Amino acid sequence: VLGAPDKSQPPKPPRRADELGDLVLLDHDGSPVRLADLWRDGAVALVWIRHYG
Amino acid sequence: LQRAHPDFEAAGLPLVLIGQATPRHAAHFRRRMGIDLPVLADERRESYRLAGAKVGTLGEVAGPRSVAAGAVRSIRSGGKAMQSRVIGHPYQLGGAMIVAPDGRVAWAKMSERAEDNAEPAEILAAARASLTAR
């Protein structure tokens, strides 16, 4: 099936979020957000949505 | 998650959603779902890759358990969470992660299957346990 792997792979969350922290994404208003800024002053919960549909 | 937003605020744990589409899609998603949580747009799915989120097989995304869980979620949300046109990679799975101020991943639950989502209470309990344990 298009885009689906044949074999199941386990998720592999990292032990540290340093690489994630360097990433800059746009928020719903189009403003850039550096992810490390989200946890600079305290812990944060990040939730990845499967899709918007 | 939106219903649990006050609990996250009371716990002092900001909650940020990340979705695999454009800011315009993210804004539309917020309006449609009636949520005020921040939503970041990751059309290239780079954060998914760095978070170790998996791309599921057909059985993991559209198997009987996933379909049944989706139906229950749709009913509970009053139709708001009903599956519509998929925006983004249809087999990309999500997950949840708590990141401590020092960049340590204090807790993570990345989905193994489409219906395998971390519940808000589970995230809050993990935050209490993992952030006070050090």
Side-chain angles (χ1 to χ4, degrees), chain A residues 1 8 16-17 26 48-50, chain B residues 20 41 48 60 91 95 102-103:
Chain A
V1 179
S8 177
R16 293 192 55 83
L26 299 179
W48 282 267
I49 305 167
R50 188 156 72 85
Chain B
Q20 49 161 333
Y48 287 79
E60 289 167 337
Y91 297 97
D102 62 0

Side-chain angles (χ1 to χ4, degrees), chain B residues 1 11 14 16 23-24 44 55 59 75 91 97 102 109 118 120 134:
Chain B
L1 285 169
V16 177
R24 189 172 62 86
R44 295 173 59 192
V55 176
I75 292 167
Y91 297 97
M97 180 182 288
D102 62 0
K109 180 179 179 180
R134 288 169 61 96

Side-chain angles (χ1 to χ4, degrees), chain A:
Chain A
V1 179
L2 195 64
D6 294 331
K7 290 185 178 178
S8 177
Q9 299 286 335
K12 296 174 182 169
R15 296 170 68 95
R16 293 192 55 83
D18 301 322
E19 280 192 271
L20 262 175
D22 289 336
L23 199 61
V24 176
L25 298 177
L26 299 179
D27 70 10
H28 52 268
D29 291 324
S31 301
V33 175
R34 182 173 174 266
L35 296 195
D37 289 342
L38 297 175
W39 56 80
R40 185 183 56 208
D41 298 325
V44 66
L46 304 174
V47 174
W48 282 267
I49 305 167
R50 188 156 72 85
H51 56 67
Y52 286 135

Side-chain angles (χ1 to χ4, degrees), chain B residues 38-62:
Chain B
V39 181
L40 304 182
D42 186 7
E43 192 173 13
R44 295 173 59 192
R45 296 187 291 133
E46 189 73 3
S47 69
Y48 287 79
R49 185 180 66 77
L50 293 172
K54 68 182 275 184
V55 176
T57 63
L58 176 63
E60 289 167 337
V61 171

Side-chain angles (χ1 to χ4, degrees), chain B residues 7-37:
Chain B
D7 298 330
F8 279 83
E9 287 190 331
L13 185 69
L15 177 59
V16 177
L17 307 184
I18 300 175
Q20 49 161 333
T22 65
R24 189 172 62 86
H25 289 127
H28 176 72
F29 174 76
R30 290 176 88 243
R31 282 195 302 273
R32 184 167 69 88
M33 301 297 287
I35 62 176
D36 58 8
L37 293 165

